[in-house]
Structures are given as structure tokens and as C-alpha cells.
């Protein structure tokens, strides 16, 4: 059975003006004409027998709708961790509307698709009793994505000019750090390592001690990083002893910022 966001190696079985019927390990799917690279480039049109990599966009349709576009495959790779996270750590319920174009204009960067989905499903708040997900327009500036991005860029620039060692990843050209999470209690900050020549869905997660000089890089999306922490499968040194510092009732619970701020 197909599952949304999963990738398959497919073979074209039949071609029509509207798209191509494909086989994926015995499962039948359909790639709309606009979801084949030939629609957007000089790539040859689909032909019977062609083999390609495709991702499932909508498994509920018959046949399931797939895409062979590289951008859809990249986005799916980041989104596929949000559904397991939602099952393990249920969101509050309400879906938040965000004017992402205005947020991205203020940041000067396009944000990863999985982060947008997390904010829309969860809003700002704390995962696993420890990681606060920053959000746009948070009532508390400490947890506002746009405010913290501006403050951290200024703060880090000051540190670098004072001779503080920057992480090796920041010495590889025109890159910037964009904060997306804060670790309650410990003071650690979680950033995206944003590169102008890398799609947002492929940005690396970087952790800084916050109150110390050490950095830690993870080749993962923010949703995958959160899922690994909540599930206890993370390779991060800073979350290895999470069960010793987090209340068991909070391990698989998301606490929205509105609940936390109302208690202060």
C-alpha cells in the first residue's frame, strides 16, 4: 500500500496526454504531466519502460498520485517525519494560519516545508518537556522566530568579530544561522545552517550550547531532529539523558505556548 511522502523506483506502464501510469513494486500509480520533469525542462517526455524515482503526493486517490519532480522529492523527505511525530506526540488540535510570505520576506529566506507544517499543526510550544519550537508572531519575543533571528545574527556577528571560534560549517562560504528552537533550562539553541545554494528542506540542524562554546551538527530536518528526541533515538550528546531530566508525563506531550504563558 502506498503512503504519502514515501519514495519509490517506478516503471512507466502506459502514457497518455494527461500523464503516465507507473508501476512501483506491484502497486499502480499515476504521474500527472505537470509532475514529470519534461513539463518544466528539456527532459524527454515519459515513455513506456522509463524508470525513475518518484514520491507519493496523495495515496488516497485511485490510482495514487505520484511526482517525479526533484523539488517534490526533497519536500517529501522533510515532511515524512511530521506524521510519525504527530502520532507519537499529538498536536493541540487547532490549525494555525500563518502568512508565510510575509514571514519569509522579513527573514530574507524561504523556510523548510516541514517547519511550516509543524507551526501550522502545533504552533509554538515545548516538545518532550525541553525543546521550545519558535514561531512567527509569538506573544513572547523570546520565542518569536523573526525576532530571535535578528537578535542572534547580531549577537553571533559580535562574537565572531571578537575572535570567538565559529563552527567549521560557518567557514564554508556564504551561510547563515537561523534559530528555530530553544532548549529550556539548558539554554541551548537549535539553528538551521542555511546555505544559499541548498534547498531549505536539506538544511542541516546545528545545536549550540548557548552558555558554552561547543557546537553539534546533525544532517536532519527540524522535524526529524524533534522526532528523534521525542522517540529516544537521537544521537545528540545533549539529549542522551533526557529520561533523567524530563517528567515521564511530558516525554510524549506537546505543551502550547498559550498554556505556558498563561501560567506565568
Amino acid at each position: 500500500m502506498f503512503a504519502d511522502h514515501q519514495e519509490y523506483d517506478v516503471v512507466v506502464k502506459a502514457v497518455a496526454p494527461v500523464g503516465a501510469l507507473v508501476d512501483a513494486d506491484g502497486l499502480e500509480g499515476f504521474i500527472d504531466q505537470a509532475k514529470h520533469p519534461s513539463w518544466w525542462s528539456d527532459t524527454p517526455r515519459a515513455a513506456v519502460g522509463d524508470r525513475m524515482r518518484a514520491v507519493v503526493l496523495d495515496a488516497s486517490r485511485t490510482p495514487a498520485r505520484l511526482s517525479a519532480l526533484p523539488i517534490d522529492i526533497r519536500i517529501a523527505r522533510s515532511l515524512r517525519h511530521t506524521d510519525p511525530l504527530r502520532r507519537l506526540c499529538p498536536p493541540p488540535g487547532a490549525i494555525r494560519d500563518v502568512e508565510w510570505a510575509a514571514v519569509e520576506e522579513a527573514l530574507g529566506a524561504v523556510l523548510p516545508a516541514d517547519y511550516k507544517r509543524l507551526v501550522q499543526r502545533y504552533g509554538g510550544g515545548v516538545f518532550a518537556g525541553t525543546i521550545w519550537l519558535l514561531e512567527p508572531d509569538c506573544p513572547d519575543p523570546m520565542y518569536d522566530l523573526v525576532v530571535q533571528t535578528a537578535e542572534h545574527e547580531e549577537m553571533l556577528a559580535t562574537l565572531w568579530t571578537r575572535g570567538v571560534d565559529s563552527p567549521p560549517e560557518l567557514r564554508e562560504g556564504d551561510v547563515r544561522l537561523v534559530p528555530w528552537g530553544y532548549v529550556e533550562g539548558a539554554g541551548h539553541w537549535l539553528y538551521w545552517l542555511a546555505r544559499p545554494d541548498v534547498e531549505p528542506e536539506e538544511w542541516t540542524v546545528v545545536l549550540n550550547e548557548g552558555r558554552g562554546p561547543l557546537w553539534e551538527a546533525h544532517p536532519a530536518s527540524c522535524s526529524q531532529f524533534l522526532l528523534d528526541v521525542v522517540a529516544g533515538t537521537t544521537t545528540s550528546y545533549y539529549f542522551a539523558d533526557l529520561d533523567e531530566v524530563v517528567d515521564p508525563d511530558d516525554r510524549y506531550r506537546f505543551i502550547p505556548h498559550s498554556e505556558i504563558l498563561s501560567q506565568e
Side-chain angles (χ1 to χ4, degrees), residues 1-239:
M1 174 179 268
F2 282 122
D4 288 350
H5 314 313
Q6 295 302 310
E7 292 178 48
Y8 296 87
D9 290 317
V10 304
V11 180
V12 176
K13 296 172 55 180
V15 178
V18 293
L21 192 68
V22 299
D23 175 83
D25 298 328
L27 299 173
E28 191 172 77
F30 189 82
I31 298 177
D32 291 307
Q33 187 179 26
K35 291 300 181 179
H36 186 274
S38 61
W39 183 260
W40 306 98
S41 68
D42 294 331
T43 302
R45 297 187 64 178
V48 174
D50 282 354
R51 296 177 179 272
M52 67 190 79
R53 193 71 171 168
V55 65
V56 180
L57 299 181
D58 189 350
S60 67
R61 299 181 65 179
T62 304
R65 288 321 192 250
L66 281 68
S67 173
L69 298 180
I71 182 61
D72 286 337
I73 293 174
R74 287 194 298 269
I75 290 174
R77 286 174 181 172
S78 68
L79 289 179
R80 71 179 55 148
H81 298 99
T82 60
D83 288 341
L85 179 61
R86 192 176 66 220
R87 291 192 293 269
L88 194 61
C89 182
I95 295 180
R96 186 186 164 193
D97 291 327
V98 179
E99 293 292 337
W100 289 113
V103 172
E104 292 172 336
E105 182 178 1
L107 289 173
V110 176
L111 293 166
D114 68 316
Y115 169 76
K116 297 177 186 179
R117 190 171 186 179
L118 287 174
V119 170
Q120 289 171 325
R121 295 293 179 88
Y122 289 90
V126 178
F127 284 91
T130 183
I131 299 180
W132 192 301
L133 180 70
L134 306 187
E135 64 173 332
D137 301 319
C138 182
D140 189 331
M142 177 68 181
Y143 308 108
D144 183 279
L145 176 74
V146 177
V147 171
Q148 287 305 315
T149 297
E151 290 188 1
H152 278 248
E153 288 191 327
E154 182 178 348
M155 175 190 69
L156 292 171
T158 300
L159 290 176
W160 309 151
T161 58
R162 290 179 178 175
V164 176
D165 284 341
S166 61
E169 292 82 3
L170 282 182
R171 304 171 201 155
E172 299 176 1
D174 185 19
V175 299
R176 62 186 292 207
L177 291 172
V178 179
W180 61 267
Y182 175 68
V183 181
E184 289 289 330
H188 310 323
W189 284 92
L190 293 161
Y191 299 91
W192 288 294
L193 187 68
R195 303 175 185 270
D197 57 342
V198 175
E199 295 292 335
E201 285 69 38
E202 297 180 0
W203 287 349
T204 295
V205 168
V206 179
L207 180 149
N208 173 246
E209 282 188 307
R211 296 170 187 152
L214 301 183
W215 295 78
E216 191 181 73
H218 294 269
S221 64
C222 66
S223 58
Q224 181 179 354
F225 188 89
L226 286 170
L227 176 62
D228 287 340
V229 170
V230 172
T233 57
T234 182
T235 59
S236 172
Y237 166 80
Y238 297 96
F239 298 97

